[in-house]
Amino acid sequence: MEWVETTGRTVEVALDAALDELGVDENDVEYEVLARPRGGLLGRFGGEARIRARVKPISREKPGEARRRSRRRATAANRSDDRGPRERVAGGAEGDGPHQSTATRPSRNRRRRRRGGGGGRGERPPEEQEQRATVDEQPEISIEEQADQAVDFTRGLVEAFGAKADVGSRLEEEDTVLVEVTGENLGLLVGPRGATLGAIEELVRTVVQRQTGGHGVRVHVDVGGYRAKRREALAEFARQLAERVRDEDEEQSLEPMGASDRKVVHDVVAEMDGVSTVSEGEEPRRRVVIRPG
């Protein structure tokens, strides 16, 4: 996924603009702060914040690899602590790149005292060793397996609702799986304005992300073609509203909507002359405003 660069009065505003452009939620992106607004006269900001962001890429490594690297770094730091105090600096100046948080673990000697071992070697309890081995041996989960997990969980939810439907999946993009639920009388799974469907999608995403350590595919769920129909209807509504804004020379606000719906409106209006869009407000009440000019 390509990086996009956005600006705003604050880092938060710039991030919101990036989310609109990418059409995803904040949990699905990673970003770097390229520049922060500078403090100016009387507390006013000088300049704009600038970030670059992209949709989180899929992790191609086994989930245990990241944990093993983290333990190796922690072990090296602890050995440095045992040899004597040493100053460590994490990160650089603001605006130089992504900020990383570091947690200092206690030294090996302190860990031994906490476990109550008088002269022991500070070995981990057997149950912790078994859990650690299980994590390290966790296999890599392919995109096909993630899709199967999403389908199985969705099918279980459909059955819990007492609905009769077929559940399948297909790859929309390299890192996006669409789980499709098809059948008759599925309005209960959609809910008012798609609220139930949104909750189902969030549950399915959580299941997949937990299996992949937070680096799985993006998962979308559609019931009875609702999302496709909504996109078409929303695009047509945005087009008509933009024409009214252009004719009456007066801005119009849409109702609050999610990042993916806001992207539909932005994309439609961007293809029209004499109108533009901007997002205002905070989640979950963030909305698109169509303006003349």
Side-chain angles (χ1 to χ4, degrees):
M1 175 65 68
E2 296 292 334
W3 292 87
V4 299
E5 290 193 12
T6 55
T7 60
R9 183 173 54 85
T10 64
V11 172
E12 290 74 17
V13 173
L15 177 58
D16 284 337
L19 296 178
D20 285 348
E21 186 168 343
L22 294 171
V24 297
D25 296 322
E26 185 171 353
N27 292 336
D28 294 327
V29 302
E30 60 182 11
Y31 68 95
E32 299 178 3
V33 179
L34 303 178
R36 294 180 179 272
R38 300 181 301 277
L41 185 62
L42 300 179
R44 296 180 178 178
F45 289 109
E48 289 186 320
R50 182 163 57 92
I51 71 167
R52 71 169 189 160
R54 68 174 179 179
V55 176
K56 287 181 180 178
I58 303 173
S59 175
R60 299 299 183 181
E61 66 181 358
K62 296 182 179 180
E65 290 296 330
R67 295 181 176 89
R68 283 196 289 271
R69 287 202 306 272
S70 177
R71 282 196 293 270
R72 286 197 293 269
R73 288 194 296 267
T75 301
N78 289 333
R79 289 173 179 170
S80 176
D81 287 343
D82 291 342
R83 289 196 299 268
R86 178 177 297 178
E87 182 179 0
R88 293 189 300 274
V89 179
E94 290 187 348
D96 291 340
H99 297 277
Q100 300 178 352
S101 60
T102 57
T104 305
R105 296 186 179 181
S107 68
R108 289 178 297 176
N109 292 333
R110 289 199 296 273
R111 289 202 300 272
R112 291 169 188 163
R113 288 198 294 269
R114 288 181 183 178
R115 296 192 181 104
R121 297 175 58 84
E123 294 181 354
R124 291 180 172 82
E127 62 273 11
E128 185 176 345
Q129 292 178 356
E130 181 179 354
Q131 180 180 6
R132 179 181 177 186
T134 301
V135 170
D136 287 349
E137 293 170 2
Q138 184 177 358
E140 182 178 3
I141 302 177
S142 67
I143 294 178
E144 291 75 15
E145 290 174 315
Q146 294 178 51
D148 289 341
Q149 289 177 349
V151 168
D152 290 342
F153 186 78
T154 303
R155 185 178 292 116
L157 289 177
V158 171
E159 293 175 354
F161 273 89
K164 295 182 179 180
D166 295 325
V167 183
S169 68
R170 60 185 173 87
L171 196 63
E172 282 192 310
E173 299 175 8
E174 181 182 357
D175 58 352
T176 303
V177 168
L178 175 64
V179 178
E180 296 178 299
V181 182
T182 57
E184 300 293 334
N185 303 320
L186 300 178
L188 186 63
L189 294 174
V190 176
R193 297 191 177 185
T196 305
L197 174 56
I200 291 175
E201 181 176 89
E202 189 62 31
L203 284 173
V204 177
R205 283 181 175 179
T206 300
V207 168
V208 173
Q209 292 299 317
R210 290 190 64 177
Q211 295 294 326
T212 58
H215 293 279
V217 295
R218 294 172 58 202
V219 178
H220 293 310
V221 179
D222 196 5
V223 174
Y226 171 82
R227 291 197 182 279
K229 296 174 184 176
R230 174 175 172 79
R231 281 195 300 268
E232 293 177 2
L234 181 58
E236 181 60 27
F237 175 73
R239 192 174 295 109
Q240 293 177 2
L241 189 60
E243 291 176 352
R244 184 195 307 174
V245 169
R246 184 171 54 194
D247 295 340
E248 299 178 0
D249 197 30
E250 184 176 351
E251 70 178 32
Q252 296 283 343
S253 297
L254 282 77
E255 65 181 17
M257 58 185 66
S260 58
D261 286 344
R262 294 198 302 269
K263 177 174 171 56
V264 172
V265 178
H266 288 308
D267 291 345
V268 168
V269 177
E271 297 177 355
M272 303 176 63
D273 296 329
V275 284
S276 61
T277 57
V278 63
S279 291
E280 295 181 348
E282 302 293 334
E283 298 288 1
R285 304 292 300 172
R286 191 162 174 79
R287 66 183 68 219
V288 176
V289 178
I290 303 178
R291 295 175 174 174

